[in-house]
Amino acid sequence: MKRVVGAVVGAVLLVTAAGAPREAAAQELDQLVWGACDASGKVTQADTSRSRTGLVVECASLKVPLDYADPDKTISLALNRVRGRSSRGHLGALLVNPGGPGASGLDLAKRVAVQLPAELTGRFDVIGFDPRGVGNSEPALRCVDPAEYYAPPRPDNVPATTRQETVLLGRARQYAQACQSRWSWMLPHLSTENNARDMDEIRKALGEERISYLGYSYGTYLGAVYATLFPERVRRMVLDSVVDPKGVWYSSNLAQDLAFNRRHRDFLRWTARHNDVYRLGRTARLVSFAWYAMRDRLRTRPAGGVVGPSELDDVYTLGGYSDLVWPQLAKAFSAYVKRGDTAPLVAAYRRYAQNDAKDENEYAVYLGVQCRDVAWPAEWSRWRSDMTRMHAKAPFLTWSNAWYNAPCVYWPERGGTPVTLRDSATLPPIMLVQSERDAATPYQGALSMRAVFARSRLLTVAGGNHGATFNDNQCVDRKLAAYLRDGTLFGPATRVAQRPDARCAGSPEPLAASR
C-alpha cells in the first residue's frame, strides 16, 4: 500500500453518571504533560504554542510498552492536541491518522481542526500522533542514508534482463539487512495490532472512556483493528479511502496495480481531451504511446541527468491519488515530448517525488509494519510470476509496486497472523467513505469492510481522488458533520451488496493548464 494522507473522525459529548460534562473529568484524569511545540512538533516547555493558522497547539510525549506481553521496556509516542474551546458543548477527543503505515499525524491534527465544519469548530480536542517508530516518536526508524539509497537516476523498475532483476533484488535485500542491523530489537514489535494498542494507551492517558477516530487509507485498517480489539472504547469512527481487510497485504498490492493503471488511463484520456493545450494526441491510445515512448527514452537519457524511468514512475503515481496535479503533470509531459524541455520534469520530481530523511523513515516503518503484519510469499519466483502476469495487464505501476514491497522477501521478522476483524454489539455504526475510482484503495475494499461491520454505512463519491472528506465537497462534509455531531448516518442501509448506502457527486475535473 503506497503511503497517502488522511482526514478526520468524530467524538460526542460524554456525560458522567452524575450528569457533569465529561470534559471536566477528562481534564482531571489526563496523565499527559502538555507543552509548547518546537518547529518539528516536539514538546519544549510547559506552555502552549500558536500555529501559523492561529490555532493553539500543544505537544506531549507518551510512553507505551514496546511489547505488550512484557511491558517493562517502553518507547515513546509524540502527540499533539488542538483543544476544543467552543462554548457550545464539548464533543470529546478525536484521534486522526493519515495512513501509511509510517505517516505522521501531527500536521493532520492541525488541518482537521481548521477544516471542521462551522457547527463543530472548537468542539473537539483533535489529537494527532506519530505511531511507533515514526517522526518525533522515539526511537524513529532510519535504516539507510537516503541521499545514497535514493540517488537518481535509480535502476529502471521494469527489469529487461535477469541481470537487471538481480540488481533490483539486491537493493531490496540491502534495505532489509540494513534495518535488521540497526533495529533487530524493535522490528518484532512493529505491527498494526501494536499500533492499535498504542491508540488505547493514548485514550487512557487522555482520561477518556471512549474516543472518536478518523483514519485515511492504511488508517482505515488501523481503525478497524482498534474497533475489533476495543469496541466499547469507540464513540464515532470514520474510515475514509478504505483498505480491503481481505487483502492485507500482498493481494492488496496486486489490486492496486490494476486500479492505478485504470486511473493513469483516466489521466491519459483527460490529456487527450485537452489536446489543444498539450498536443500529445486526440485519443488515449496516442497519448499512451507518447507516455511509454518517453519512459523508454529516459532509460538511456535521464531528464536533466536526474529523472529516469523509475523517477518518472514516482512522479506520475501522484496523479493516481489526486487529479488536482494532472494539469502540472501533463504540462511537464508535453514540454518534454514536444520541445525536448527537461526542466519541468525535473521540477516535478523535486517537488513531488524526491525522497529525504523523513520519507526514508516513513518507508522503514511502512515495511516494518506490513512485512510483520502477515506472511508474504517467501519465494521470489512467486513474485516474478505474479508481476509478469500483472504487468501485461497493468504496466503503469506493477513492477514499481513490487520493488517498493520486495524487502519483505528478506525481512528478518517473518509475517505473523493479522487480527481477525469482527463486529461487536458494543461498537457503534461506522461511517465509511470511498471514492469510486480510488487507485490506492480500490472500491471493493469498502464493500468488504462494510460486510465485516454490519451496521456501518458506505458513502461513495464519484471520481478517483484519494481522501474524500475535508476536500471541498459539501455533500460529503454535510454527512460527515451530522455523524460527528450526534451519530446520525445517511438513509436506510442498502440490501444490495455491491451498492453504497448513499452517494455524493465528485469534484469537477481540473481545467487544463495554460500553454
Side-chain angles (χ1 to χ4, degrees):
M1 187 68 64
K2 296 286 187 182
R3 55 191 160 86
V4 296
V5 292
V8 136
V9 68
V12 21
L13 180 63
L14 290 165
V15 179
T16 65
R22 173 65 184 155
E23 180 187 26
Q27 290 176 1
E28 292 173 6
L29 294 173
D30 194 333
Q31 303 170 21
L32 298 165
V33 178
W34 296 97
C37 309
D38 66 15
S40 70
K42 291 184 177 180
V43 63
T44 58
Q45 61 192 45
D47 197 354
T48 57
S49 56
R50 191 172 294 275
S51 73
R52 286 176 294 180
T53 61
L55 297 173
V56 176
V57 184
E58 303 166 300
C59 287
S61 179
L62 174 66
K63 291 187 180 301
V64 298
L66 172 67
D67 181 356
Y68 279 90
D70 182 16
D72 288 340
K73 187 171 183 178
T74 61
I75 55 177
S76 70
L77 305 181
L79 281 66
N80 69 352
R81 172 174 71 177
V82 182
R83 292 192 60 184
R85 298 179 182 274
S86 172
S87 61
R88 290 183 292 167
H90 191 62
L91 297 180
L94 173 61
L95 269 66
V96 298
N97 179 274
S104 167
L106 302 183
D107 285 342
L108 178 59
K110 292 181 280 189
R111 292 200 300 271
V112 165
V114 169
Q115 293 176 315
L116 280 171
E119 63 185 289
L120 298 175
T121 300
R123 299 181 67 186
F124 291 102
D125 290 344
V126 183
I127 310 294
F129 65 101
D130 282 353
R132 55 175 57 201
V134 175
N136 288 335
S137 292
E138 296 179 352
L141 267 65
R142 291 181 174 83
C143 296
V144 298
D145 177 357
E148 179 181 337
Y149 188 77
Y150 295 118
R154 306 190 313 274
D156 186 357
N157 285 326
V158 182
T161 66
T162 301
R163 182 176 181 180
Q164 291 175 5
E165 182 181 316
T166 300
V167 169
L168 291 161
L169 270 175
R171 285 175 56 84
R173 183 186 297 108
Q174 171 196 353
Y175 197 90
Q177 291 174 344
C179 291
Q180 179 182 23
S181 67
R182 295 187 181 192
W183 302 107
S184 59
W185 61 272
M186 190 171 181
L187 294 183
H189 309 294
L190 290 175
S191 67
T192 300
E193 179 176 350
N194 278 343
N195 284 338
R197 295 189 183 281
D198 291 347
M199 283 174 52
D200 205 54
E201 293 300 303
I202 295 172
R203 177 197 62 78
K204 293 178 197 176
L206 292 169
E208 295 283 356
E209 294 178 3
R210 291 185 287 171
I211 55 172
S212 294
Y213 175 79
L214 169 61
Y216 295 87
S217 195
Y218 164 78
T220 66
Y221 182 62
L222 174 58
V225 171
Y226 184 84
T228 295
L229 297 176
F230 307 102
E232 72 283 359
R233 300 304 184 186
V234 178
R235 290 197 63 85
R236 300 284 182 267
M237 181 167 284
V238 181
L239 306 181
D240 184 341
S241 305
V242 184
V243 165
D244 190 339
K246 297 189 298 186
V248 294
W249 288 113
Y250 185 77
S251 295
S252 288
N253 281 280
L254 294 176
Q256 274 189 333
D257 297 340
L258 293 170
F260 266 100
N261 196 75
R262 180 179 70 173
R263 194 62 179 150
H264 182 63
R265 290 195 62 80
D266 289 346
F267 164 69
L268 299 179
R269 281 190 288 268
W270 177 88
T271 303
R273 288 198 296 274
H274 296 286
N275 188 55
D276 58 326
V277 175
Y278 301 114
R279 307 290 185 184
L280 290 167
R282 295 185 181 278
T283 66
R285 182 177 180 181
L286 290 173
V287 180
S288 179
F289 179 85
W291 164 265
Y292 286 102
M294 172 177 67
R295 193 185 186 284
D296 188 62
R297 180 179 174 84
L298 291 173
R299 285 192 179 97
T300 55
R301 299 184 64 178
V306 171
V307 180
S310 293
E311 288 72 27
L312 186 77
D313 293 345
D314 292 349
V315 172
Y316 283 80
T317 295
L318 184 65
Y321 287 104
S322 173
D323 60 20
L324 294 178
V325 298
W326 286 1
Q328 290 73 37
L329 297 184
K331 191 172 183 179
F333 179 12
S334 177
Y336 178 84
V337 171
K338 304 304 291 183
R339 304 194 305 274
D341 184 359
T342 63
L345 272 184
V346 174
Y349 167 74
R350 301 290 188 204
R351 180 176 182 184
Y352 298 128
Q354 187 169 12
N355 291 296
D356 57 15
K358 177 177 178 292
D359 297 305
E360 196 274 326
N361 166 242
E362 293 180 1
Y363 184 48
V365 177
Y366 169 93
L367 290 171
V369 172
Q370 291 213 351
C371 298
R372 181 65 176 137
D373 265 356
V374 64
W376 293 66
E379 299 298 327
W380 178 249
S381 59
R382 162 78 183 280
W383 292 62
R384 182 193 297 115
S385 175
D386 287 342
M387 300 314 147
T388 300
R389 171 179 54 81
M390 187 62 71
H391 179 76
K393 296 186 289 185
F396 174 68
L397 190 73
T398 294
W399 278 109
S400 174
N401 215 8
W403 297 119
Y404 195 82
N405 295 281
C408 289
V409 175
Y410 306 104
W411 206 248
E413 289 300 321
R414 307 318 298 170
T417 302
V419 173
T420 300
L421 300 186
R422 61 182 182 274
D423 206 351
S424 168
T426 61
L427 182 68
I430 295 172
M431 179 175 176
L432 307 175
V433 187
Q434 181 67 41
S435 294
E436 291 177 316
R437 296 179 72 82
D438 190 332
T441 52
Y443 185 74
Q444 182 60 41
L447 297 174
S448 296
M449 191 71 81
R450 184 179 62 176
V452 171
F453 298 108
R455 291 179 299 139
S456 63
R457 300 285 180 81
L458 173 58
L459 171 65
T460 66
V461 185
N465 290 335
H466 190 66
T469 54
F470 301 111
N471 201 18
D472 296 325
N473 188 312
Q474 293 184 3
C475 173
V476 173
D477 290 347
R478 279 196 304 268
K479 290 177 170 55
L480 175 68
Y483 176 71
L484 292 180
R485 184 184 62 246
D486 56 22
T488 299
L489 275 171
F490 30 85
T494 183
R495 296 183 181 275
V496 181
Q498 298 298 310
R499 292 183 182 175
D501 302 295
R503 293 181 184 272
C504 285
S507 301
E509 286 188 340
L511 299 175
S514 59
R515 295 183 190 177

